[in-house]
Amino acid sequence: MAVITNAFEMAQRQFDHVASLLKLDPQVCEMLRWPMREFHFRIPVRMDDGTLRVFDGYRVQHNDARGPNKGGIRFHPAETLDTIRALATWMTWKCAVADIPLGGGKGGVCVDPATLSTSEKERLCRGFIDQLWRNIGPRQDVPAPDVGTTPQMMGWMMDEYSKLVGQYTPGVITGKPLGGGGSLGRTEATGYGVIFAVREAMRHLEMAPDQCVAGFQGFGNVSQYASIGFKEILKGKVACVSYWDREDRTAYTVSHPEGIDPRYLMTITDQYGSIDKKKALANGYIIEDGNAWLSKEVDVLIPAALEGQITGETVQAISKRVRMVAEGANGPTTPEADEVFKSRGIFVIPDFLCNCGGVTVSYFESVQNDMNYYWTKNEVLDRLDTKMTIAFEGVLEMAINEKVNMRDAAYMVAIARVVKAMELRGWL
Ligand code: NAD
């Protein structure tokens, strides 16, 4: 099989595989293999030195049969239309598997945001909306932050949109700052969502959560709250986390013989998820190389850093005790490593089911914006728990009934839901 490096070709190949399992009509496949709408526009921005620069902007709306499109906006110098197409396609499947009434979208601007001043960033954000505002909206397409964009940028974009339509419209964008239309619980959402899925998988596998040990890769937003949840919600032990050390430009694993205390480690971690290793060492922690997290004696592995981390090679180091892999990150497992998991009977909670807590609480944010009434953090997290539990059960049932693994089952659930919505709307 040829190695695919283009993300959109990969997304299409994954779709084709599951479409054949579902025996989907080729005409239906033709609709779902490609986005419904794509926008490519040029954004003129006056720079601080008085010159004019023109940036390329994109928005892709893959499929909105189940509701308004949903997905982030990336500011990245190497942004391509195909990357955005792939990410928009994956958003369609993620929203469908989470069973939230939204479709799939993604946007981007070719720019390195680190090269812009704050006021240039603001003008670029407003310019993005000036080009696109007719094609987004709470009932059309709801963007959010992603790589290179921040809650503050979402605040500017929401403000620009509100001015253009002539009314305060916070529901046009999610991921806004708290106090500026954001939702409580969004910070914890993805990590806690991972833990709700792990809890359900343990119930299925008859594992006692309080007897279980987990190892994590990464210590950023997802891993911080997933490790807190593993310790405080499941009462399990967290053997280690790993992180990318920004000073040494290498990865390390941080462990403790009695289990790590994620709340303490957060106090010595910077905004990029890099831990102060001198303070950790002074507090009895052990520092090892970046791959050590993978070979610890644990029951559960939670990769929550980057894509492509568990490969055909690194998977060999995994201990015999491991029974479950919960993919907090997007695409952390290569197809070769996935084969090893299958042959060893390791239960995998696939990425777009495992980390769908983030988009679920983004959906809650737009619901609260529409009502102009805001829930407490506990209300948000309780609703997240219900959604994650139902999503997990739906995929597990499909896996058991169709005798497929959880990854294929998640795709099957998602694609079947989108096809059904298209049928009900008379598109097919
Ligand atoms: P983040 O930037 O907050 O944290 C990333 C962490 O990974 C940091 O601790 C960093 O030090 C660590 N890291 C980087 N390279 C590493 C390496 N080689 N070895 C070990 N650790 C390394 O990112 P995040 O928001 O926690 O996202 C993590 C993953 O989860 C990404 O794949 C992201 O796409 C995915 N995801 C995030 C969300 C969300 O709501 N934040 C939602 C869905 C999916």
Side-chain angles (χ1 to χ4, degrees), residues 94 146-147 186-187 189-191 216-224 241-246 250-253 269-275 290-291 293 303-307 309 327-332 351 354-359 362:
K94 191 182 283 200
D146 203 300
V147 173
R186 176 62 187 89
T187 313
T190 309
F216 289 72
Q217 187 187 36
F219 200 57
N221 174 261
V222 178
S223 183
Q224 287 173 8
V241 296
S242 69
Y243 75 99
W244 179 258
D245 193 285
R246 287 172 4 101
T250 186
Y252 291 119
T253 299
T269 300
D270 70 15
Q271 58 171 316
Y272 305 101
S274 186
I275 298 172
N291 277 334
W293 76 281
L306 300 172
E307 65 283 349
Q309 292 300 297
E327 296 182 332
N330 287 319
D351 51 4
C354 196
N355 67 31
C356 71
V359 73
S362 289

Side-chain angles (χ1 to χ4, degrees), residues 290-322:
N291 277 334
W293 76 281
L294 207 53
S295 53
K296 296 271 171 211
E297 278 284 306
V298 297
D299 307 276
V300 184
L301 283 174
I302 306 188
L306 300 172
E307 65 283 349
Q309 292 300 297
I310 309 181
T311 64
E313 210 175 303
T314 59
V315 75
Q316 305 303 337
I318 288 179
S319 112
K320 291 208 166 38
R321 182 167 162 182
V322 173

Side-chain angles (χ1 to χ4, degrees), residues 161-191:
Y161 181 86
S162 296
K163 282 181 184 157
L164 288 164
V165 297
Q167 56 184 325
Y168 176 59
T169 315
V172 66
I173 273 175
T174 62
K176 300 179 293 296
L178 274 179
S183 174
L184 290 167
R186 176 62 187 89
T187 313
E188 296 85 349
T190 309

Side-chain angles (χ1 to χ4, degrees), residues 174-223:
T174 62
K176 300 179 293 296
L178 274 179
S183 174
L184 290 167
R186 176 62 187 89
T187 313
E188 296 85 349
T190 309
Y192 279 13
V194 168
I195 292 310
F196 298 145
V198 167
R199 183 195 62 207
E200 293 311 303
M202 285 181 169
R203 204 192 307 275
H204 166 65
L205 298 172
E206 298 181 354
M207 295 163 77
D210 59 355
Q211 304 298 310
C212 287
V213 183
F216 289 72
Q217 187 187 36
F219 200 57
N221 174 261
V222 178
S223 183

Side-chain angles (χ1 to χ4, degrees), residues 5 13 19 33 55 60 102 104 196 204 208 217 250 294 308 359 368:
T5 49
R13 186 181 278 193
R33 294 185 90 240
F55 297 90
V60 172
L102 300 171
F196 298 145
H204 166 65
Q217 187 187 36
T250 186
L294 207 53
V359 73
Q368 294 169 81

